Amino acid sequence: MIDVIVIGAGPAGVLAAARAADLGARTALITRDKFGGMAANDGPVPVRTLAHAARLMREARQLGQYGIAVSEPILEYPRLLARVREVVTDVRTHSTLREHVDRLGVTLYEQAGTARFVDPHTIETESGLRLQAEKIIICTGGTSRRLSVPGFELTATHSDAWGLTSVPPSMLVIGGGATGAQVASIFNAFGSRVQLFQAAPRILPTEDEDVSAAVAAAFRESGIVVRENFGTIESFEKTPSGVRMVFSKDGVRDSAEATLVVVAVGWVANIAGLSLVTAGVETDHRGFVRVDAYLRTSAQHIFAAGDITGRLMLVPQAIQDGFVAATNAVRGATTRLGDQVSPIGSFTDPEYAQVGLTEAKARETHDVVVAVVHFDETTRTIIDGRTAGFCKLIADRATCTILGCHVVGERAVEIIQVVAIAMAAGMRVDDLAQVPLSFPTYVGILGRAAYRAAQQLNLEVSWQAHQVED
Ligand SMILES: Cc1cc2nc3c(=O)[nH]c(=O)nc-3n(C[C@H](O)[C@H](O)[C@H](O)COP(=O)(O)OP(=O)(O)OC[C@H]3O[C@@H](n4cnc5c(N)ncnc54)[C@H](O)[C@@H]3O)c2cc1C
C-alpha cells in the first residue's frame, strides 16, 4: 500500500501530488487523459489563444486610425487551430510542473482511463491499473452541464470549437456566463452571426450589475444579438443548414436557428464512473463532492480539491486547494482553507474583471463609497484608442479599505490583479492613491479611482500621484 493516490492531473491534482511527495509521502498520480487537465488542454490556454486571435483581428482593423494602410484581415481557421495546438504543446513543454512531480518521485499514470473506487482504499482504472493507498485525493474537475431536452445531441460545447474546420456562418450560444460570453465574443470577431441567449435577466449574472450592462451593450454594438430572459428551451431540431432551437416564454413559442448551437449552461462535477458511494464519499445537492474547511470529504481519509468541490472554479483556486488537501492528507487535518482575495476575469471583447464584493453585495453589509473612473478620462486609453469602459472602486467608509473593484475595458484582467494585491495587503484607498503608478498606463486608472474614493472619505492624499492624470 502506498501513502497517497491523487486522481486527476489538472492543476489541483498536480499540485496535490507534488505537495504530498514533497512532504515525504509515496505518491501516485492517476489521470484519465493527458497531464495538465482542463486548464492546459481544453480551457484557459486554448480559449485565451483564440481570444488573442480575435484581438489581433480587431487591432488590425484599428491600424488605419494610426495611418497604417493594410487590407481587411482574413481569418484562416484551420491555421488558427494549428496555432492553438502549437500553443497548447508549447505551454505543456515549458511547464516546469511535469519535471517537478517527476523530480519529487511521484509515480504518474497518464492516459490510464477512468479511475474508480473498488473499496475505500483501492482504486482501479479502465486500463487495468489497481493501487491501494492510506489516503486518496479526488481532483477530477468538472464538465459541461447537459440539458435534458429533445435534440440536445445536436448541440456542441466550447470544446467542439477545436474540431471545426471553418468558422460557422451563424451561431447560437446558449448561456451568458463566463464561458458563453467568451465563445460569443470570439466567434463574433471571427465573422459568425452570433445570438447569445441567457435565461436569467442579465448576462454575467455573478458580475456587478454595471459590468453586465456594459458588456451586454458592447456586445450588441459589435453585432451580437443578446437575448436576456429569453424563456425556456423546448427542443433542438435539425434543419437543412444547421440546428433550430425551439423555446417558449409566457406561453408563446418562438425559435431561432443557426449553423451551430453551442451550449454553455454551467459546469457539473466529474464524478461519473468514480463509484463514490463505494468509498462513502457524499456529494452536495448540485452533485459536487462535499468537503469541510480542511477539504476532507465525508470519508475521513479521502480529500477533494479543485473544480470537483464546486466552489470558485478557477486555476489559482484549484492550485491552492491541491496544496491544502495534500498537506492535510499527509500531516493530518491541520491547515484550513483561508479566506482569499480572488480576482476573476474573462477575455471577452471588452474584457471584464472583478475582485471582492459587487456594489449591491457591499451595500448589504457596509456603509460604502463608490468611485468610478471612465476609460475616456485617462491618457493611455486615449493614446491607444481604447476609451470604452470604466473602473469602479468600492471602499468601506469605516475602515477606508477596498471592498471590491470592477473593471470593463482594455486590460481589465491585468488592472484587477493590482487591486487584488492592494486588498490582500489591506491597503486603504488613500495609501493606494499615493503610489506613483507609471504614466501613462492602464493600471494608472486605479490611482485616480482611489483618489476619488479618498476625496469622498475626506482623506488627505499628500503625494498626489494622480495629479498627472487629473
Ligand atoms: C472554456 C473555459 C475557460 C476557462 N478559462 C479560465 C481562465 O481563464 N482562468 C482560470 O483560472 N480558469 C479558467 N477555467 C477554469 C479552469 O480550467 C478550471 O478551474 C481548472 O482546470 C480546474 O482544475 P482541476 O484540477 O480541478 O480540474 P481539471 O483541470 O478539470 O482536471 C481534472 C482532470 O481529472 C481527469 N479525470 C476526471 N475524472 C477522472 C477519473 N474518474 N479518473 C481519472 N481521471 C479523471 C480529467 O480528465 C482531467 O484531466 C476555464 C474553464 C473553461 C471550460
PDB file of all heavy atoms in Angstrom, residues 5 21 50 71 94 102 110 137-138 184 192 203 217 234 237 289 306 315 375 430 439 454:
ATOM      1  N   ILE A   5      -2.838   8.424  -3.138  1.00  0.00           N
ATOM      2  CA  ILE A   5      -3.203   8.388  -4.563  1.00  0.00           C
ATOM      3  C   ILE A   5      -3.944   9.689  -4.859  1.00  0.00           C
ATOM      4  O   ILE A   5      -4.869  10.060  -4.127  1.00  0.00           O
ATOM      5  CB  ILE A   5      -4.151   7.219  -4.899  1.00  0.00           C
ATOM      6  CG1 ILE A   5      -3.469   5.872  -4.679  1.00  0.00           C
ATOM      7  CG2 ILE A   5      -4.644   7.323  -6.344  1.00  0.00           C
ATOM      8  CD1 ILE A   5      -4.429   4.685  -4.848  1.00  0.00           C
ATOM      9  N   ALA A  21       4.242  14.490  -2.179  1.00  0.00           N
ATOM     10  CA  ALA A  21       5.574  13.895  -2.349  1.00  0.00           C
ATOM     11  C   ALA A  21       6.625  14.736  -1.630  1.00  0.00           C
ATOM     12  O   ALA A  21       7.551  14.210  -1.014  1.00  0.00           O
ATOM     13  CB  ALA A  21       5.896  13.777  -3.830  1.00  0.00           C
ATOM     14  N   LEU A  50      -7.459  31.633 -28.772  1.00  0.00           N
ATOM     15  CA  LEU A  50      -8.488  32.089 -29.721  1.00  0.00           C
ATOM     16  C   LEU A  50      -8.837  33.555 -29.450  1.00  0.00           C
ATOM     17  O   LEU A  50      -9.011  34.346 -30.384  1.00  0.00           O
ATOM     18  CB  LEU A  50      -9.756  31.234 -29.587  1.00  0.00           C
ATOM     19  CG  LEU A  50      -9.676  29.786 -30.065  1.00  0.00           C
ATOM     20  CD1 LEU A  50     -11.022  29.104 -29.903  1.00  0.00           C
ATOM     21  CD2 LEU A  50      -9.243  29.716 -31.531  1.00  0.00           C
ATOM     22  N   SER A  71      -4.870  45.720 -45.768  1.00  0.00           N
ATOM     23  CA  SER A  71      -6.208  45.305 -46.195  1.00  0.00           C
ATOM     24  C   SER A  71      -6.934  44.625 -45.028  1.00  0.00           C
ATOM     25  O   SER A  71      -6.331  44.317 -43.997  1.00  0.00           O
ATOM     26  CB  SER A  71      -6.114  44.383 -47.400  1.00  0.00           C
ATOM     27  OG  SER A  71      -5.171  43.393 -47.126  1.00  0.00           O
ATOM     28  N   HIS A  94       6.887  23.741 -21.773  1.00  0.00           N
ATOM     29  CA  HIS A  94       7.620  24.681 -20.916  1.00  0.00           C
ATOM     30  C   HIS A  94       7.173  24.637 -19.461  1.00  0.00           C
ATOM     31  O   HIS A  94       7.749  25.315 -18.621  1.00  0.00           O
ATOM     32  CB  HIS A  94       7.500  26.105 -21.467  1.00  0.00           C
ATOM     33  CG  HIS A  94       8.328  26.292 -22.693  1.00  0.00           C
ATOM     34  ND1 HIS A  94       7.811  26.138 -23.956  1.00  0.00           N
ATOM     35  CD2 HIS A  94       9.636  26.539 -22.853  1.00  0.00           C
ATOM     36  CE1 HIS A  94       8.769  26.317 -24.846  1.00  0.00           C
ATOM     37  NE2 HIS A  94       9.890  26.553 -24.200  1.00  0.00           N
ATOM     38  N   ASP A 102       8.052  14.755 -11.393  1.00  0.00           N
ATOM     39  CA  ASP A 102       8.993  13.655 -11.656  1.00  0.00           C
ATOM     40  C   ASP A 102      10.146  13.696 -10.648  1.00  0.00           C
ATOM     41  O   ASP A 102      10.529  12.687 -10.077  1.00  0.00           O
ATOM     42  CB  ASP A 102       9.575  13.766 -13.083  1.00  0.00           C
ATOM     43  CG  ASP A 102       8.548  13.391 -14.142  1.00  0.00           C
ATOM     44  OD1 ASP A 102       7.534  12.767 -13.784  1.00  0.00           O
ATOM     45  OD2 ASP A 102       8.742  13.752 -15.318  1.00  0.00           O
ATOM     46  N   GLU A 110      -0.432   8.329 -16.711  1.00  0.00           N
ATOM     47  CA  GLU A 110      -1.162   9.192 -17.658  1.00  0.00           C
ATOM     48  C   GLU A 110      -2.005   8.308 -18.569  1.00  0.00           C
ATOM     49  O   GLU A 110      -1.639   7.153 -18.832  1.00  0.00           O
ATOM     50  CB  GLU A 110      -0.138   9.955 -18.489  1.00  0.00           C
ATOM     51  CG  GLU A 110      -0.443  11.408 -18.663  1.00  0.00           C
ATOM     52  CD  GLU A 110       0.678  12.147 -19.390  1.00  0.00           C
ATOM     53  OE1 GLU A 110       1.831  11.683 -19.355  1.00  0.00           O
ATOM     54  OE2 GLU A 110       0.385  13.158 -19.995  1.00  0.00           O
ATOM     55  N   ILE A 137      -6.842  11.539  -2.765  1.00  0.00           N
ATOM     56  CA  ILE A 137      -7.291  12.920  -3.035  1.00  0.00           C
ATOM     57  C   ILE A 137      -7.977  12.935  -4.409  1.00  0.00           C
ATOM     58  O   ILE A 137      -7.369  12.574  -5.423  1.00  0.00           O
ATOM     59  CB  ILE A 137      -6.113  13.924  -3.011  1.00  0.00           C
ATOM     60  CG1 ILE A 137      -5.318  13.776  -1.702  1.00  0.00           C
ATOM     61  CG2 ILE A 137      -6.630  15.360  -3.153  1.00  0.00           C
ATOM     62  CD1 ILE A 137      -4.062  14.634  -1.645  1.00  0.00           C
ATOM     63  N   ILE A 138      -9.248  13.344  -4.410  1.00  0.00           N
ATOM     64  CA  ILE A 138     -10.028  13.361  -5.662  1.00  0.00           C
ATOM     65  C   ILE A 138      -9.912  14.748  -6.301  1.00  0.00           C
ATOM     66  O   ILE A 138     -10.304  15.752  -5.692  1.00  0.00           O
ATOM     67  CB  ILE A 138     -11.519  13.063  -5.385  1.00  0.00           C
ATOM     68  CG1 ILE A 138     -11.670  11.753  -4.604  1.00  0.00           C
ATOM     69  CG2 ILE A 138     -12.310  13.007  -6.678  1.00  0.00           C
ATOM     70  CD1 ILE A 138     -13.089  11.534  -4.065  1.00  0.00           C
ATOM     71  N   ALA A 184     -19.155  33.584 -27.525  1.00  0.00           N
ATOM     72  CA  ALA A 184     -19.897  34.556 -28.344  1.00  0.00           C
ATOM     73  C   ALA A 184     -18.967  35.657 -28.852  1.00  0.00           C
ATOM     74  O   ALA A 184     -18.976  36.010 -30.038  1.00  0.00           O
ATOM     75  CB  ALA A 184     -21.044  35.154 -27.525  1.00  0.00           C
ATOM     76  N   SER A 192     -18.787  35.088 -37.405  1.00  0.00           N
ATOM     77  CA  SER A 192     -20.083  34.396 -37.268  1.00  0.00           C
ATOM     78  C   SER A 192     -21.162  35.414 -36.892  1.00  0.00           C
ATOM     79  O   SER A 192     -20.885  36.368 -36.159  1.00  0.00           O
ATOM     80  CB  SER A 192     -20.033  33.381 -36.123  1.00  0.00           C
ATOM     81  OG  SER A 192     -19.466  32.190 -36.512  1.00  0.00           O
ATOM     82  N   ILE A 203     -26.857  38.951 -18.639  1.00  0.00           N
ATOM     83  CA  ILE A 203     -25.685  38.100 -18.870  1.00  0.00           C
ATOM     84  C   ILE A 203     -24.700  38.361 -17.735  1.00  0.00           C
ATOM     85  O   ILE A 203     -24.817  39.361 -17.008  1.00  0.00           O
ATOM     86  CB  ILE A 203     -25.033  38.334 -20.257  1.00  0.00           C
ATOM     87  CG1 ILE A 203     -24.487  39.763 -20.399  1.00  0.00           C
ATOM     88  CG2 ILE A 203     -25.998  38.002 -21.382  1.00  0.00           C
ATOM     89  CD1 ILE A 203     -23.515  39.915 -21.583  1.00  0.00           C
ATOM     90  N   ALA A 217     -24.095  45.843 -23.601  1.00  0.00           N
ATOM     91  CA  ALA A 217     -24.204  46.966 -24.555  1.00  0.00           C
ATOM     92  C   ALA A 217     -23.086  46.884 -25.597  1.00  0.00           C
ATOM     93  O   ALA A 217     -23.320  47.071 -26.798  1.00  0.00           O
ATOM     94  CB  ALA A 217     -24.145  48.291 -23.800  1.00  0.00           C
ATOM     95  N   GLU A 234     -37.419  24.275 -25.375  1.00  0.00           N
ATOM     96  CA  GLU A 234     -38.279  23.081 -25.516  1.00  0.00           C
ATOM     97  C   GLU A 234     -37.551  21.966 -26.254  1.00  0.00           C
ATOM     98  O   GLU A 234     -37.653  20.805 -25.883  1.00  0.00           O
ATOM     99  CB  GLU A 234     -39.571  23.438 -26.247  1.00  0.00           C
ATOM    100  CG  GLU A 234     -40.463  24.325 -25.393  1.00  0.00           C
ATOM    101  CD  GLU A 234     -41.822  24.529 -26.017  1.00  0.00           C
ATOM    102  OE1 GLU A 234     -42.079  24.023 -27.124  1.00  0.00           O
ATOM    103  OE2 GLU A 234     -42.626  25.238 -25.388  1.00  0.00           O
ATOM    104  N   GLU A 237     -33.835  21.031 -33.071  1.00  0.00           N
ATOM    105  CA  GLU A 237     -34.220  20.229 -34.241  1.00  0.00           C
ATOM    106  C   GLU A 237     -33.209  20.443 -35.355  1.00  0.00           C
ATOM    107  O   GLU A 237     -32.650  21.536 -35.474  1.00  0.00           O
ATOM    108  CB  GLU A 237     -35.589  20.703 -34.775  1.00  0.00           C
ATOM    109  CG  GLU A 237     -36.699  20.517 -33.784  1.00  0.00           C
ATOM    110  CD  GLU A 237     -37.948  21.340 -34.166  1.00  0.00           C
ATOM    111  OE1 GLU A 237     -37.910  22.027 -35.226  1.00  0.00           O
ATOM    112  OE2 GLU A 237     -38.909  21.305 -33.410  1.00  0.00           O
ATOM    113  N   VAL A 289     -18.519  17.179  -4.817  1.00  0.00           N
ATOM    114  CA  VAL A 289     -18.068  16.460  -3.619  1.00  0.00           C
ATOM    115  C   VAL A 289     -18.095  17.419  -2.418  1.00  0.00           C
ATOM    116  O   VAL A 289     -17.523  18.511  -2.461  1.00  0.00           O
ATOM    117  CB  VAL A 289     -16.652  15.871  -3.831  1.00  0.00           C
ATOM    118  CG1 VAL A 289     -16.085  15.316  -2.538  1.00  0.00           C
ATOM    119  CG2 VAL A 289     -16.701  14.773  -4.895  1.00  0.00           C
ATOM    120  N   GLY A 306     -10.119  21.385  -6.007  1.00  0.00           N
ATOM    121  CA  GLY A 306     -10.355  21.931  -7.344  1.00  0.00           C
ATOM    122  C   GLY A 306     -11.831  21.976  -7.712  1.00  0.00           C
ATOM    123  O   GLY A 306     -12.715  21.974  -6.844  1.00  0.00           O
ATOM    124  N   VAL A 315      -8.253  28.240 -11.962  1.00  0.00           N
ATOM    125  CA  VAL A 315      -6.947  27.596 -11.801  1.00  0.00           C
ATOM    126  C   VAL A 315      -6.254  27.973 -10.480  1.00  0.00           C
ATOM    127  O   VAL A 315      -5.806  27.076  -9.754  1.00  0.00           O
ATOM    128  CB  VAL A 315      -6.051  27.911 -13.027  1.00  0.00           C
ATOM    129  CG1 VAL A 315      -4.626  27.464 -12.790  1.00  0.00           C
ATOM    130  CG2 VAL A 315      -6.630  27.243 -14.266  1.00  0.00           C
ATOM    131  N   PHE A 375     -12.944  55.071 -18.846  1.00  0.00           N
ATOM    132  CA  PHE A 375     -11.731  54.898 -19.644  1.00  0.00           C
ATOM    133  C   PHE A 375     -11.441  56.116 -20.532  1.00  0.00           C
ATOM    134  O   PHE A 375     -10.299  56.349 -20.882  1.00  0.00           O
ATOM    135  CB  PHE A 375     -11.847  53.628 -20.517  1.00  0.00           C
ATOM    136  CG  PHE A 375     -11.298  52.388 -19.857  1.00  0.00           C
ATOM    137  CD1 PHE A 375     -11.530  52.125 -18.521  1.00  0.00           C
ATOM    138  CD2 PHE A 375     -10.541  51.469 -20.581  1.00  0.00           C
ATOM    139  CE1 PHE A 375     -11.026  50.982 -17.908  1.00  0.00           C
ATOM    140  CE2 PHE A 375     -10.024  50.324 -19.982  1.00  0.00           C
ATOM    141  CZ  PHE A 375     -10.277  50.083 -18.646  1.00  0.00           C
ATOM    142  N   ASP A 430      -6.484  55.818   0.446  1.00  0.00           N
ATOM    143  CA  ASP A 430      -5.545  56.947   0.393  1.00  0.00           C
ATOM    144  C   ASP A 430      -4.109  56.455   0.201  1.00  0.00           C
ATOM    145  O   ASP A 430      -3.305  57.112  -0.454  1.00  0.00           O
ATOM    146  CB  ASP A 430      -5.677  57.855   1.617  1.00  0.00           C
ATOM    147  CG  ASP A 430      -5.669  57.098   2.931  1.00  0.00           C
ATOM    148  OD1 ASP A 430      -6.073  55.918   2.943  1.00  0.00           O
ATOM    149  OD2 ASP A 430      -5.261  57.669   3.959  1.00  0.00           O
ATOM    150  N   PHE A 439       3.173  56.364 -15.649  1.00  0.00           N
ATOM    151  CA  PHE A 439       2.339  57.121 -16.584  1.00  0.00           C
ATOM    152  C   PHE A 439       2.907  56.962 -17.986  1.00  0.00           C
ATOM    153  O   PHE A 439       4.125  57.021 -18.147  1.00  0.00           O
ATOM    154  CB  PHE A 439       2.334  58.593 -16.166  1.00  0.00           C
ATOM    155  CG  PHE A 439       1.706  59.501 -17.187  1.00  0.00           C
ATOM    156  CD1 PHE A 439       0.327  59.665 -17.221  1.00  0.00           C
ATOM    157  CD2 PHE A 439       2.501  60.180 -18.117  1.00  0.00           C
ATOM    158  CE1 PHE A 439      -0.261  60.484 -18.166  1.00  0.00           C
ATOM    159  CE2 PHE A 439       1.912  61.005 -19.074  1.00  0.00           C
ATOM    160  CZ  PHE A 439       0.535  61.146 -19.089  1.00  0.00           C
ATOM    161  N   ALA A 454     -10.882  58.438  -1.881  1.00  0.00           N
ATOM    162  CA  ALA A 454     -10.285  59.116  -0.719  1.00  0.00           C
ATOM    163  C   ALA A 454     -10.920  60.488  -0.510  1.00  0.00           C
ATOM    164  O   ALA A 454     -11.202  60.898   0.623  1.00  0.00           O
ATOM    165  CB  ALA A 454      -8.775  59.240  -0.920  1.00  0.00           C
TER     166      ALA A 454
END
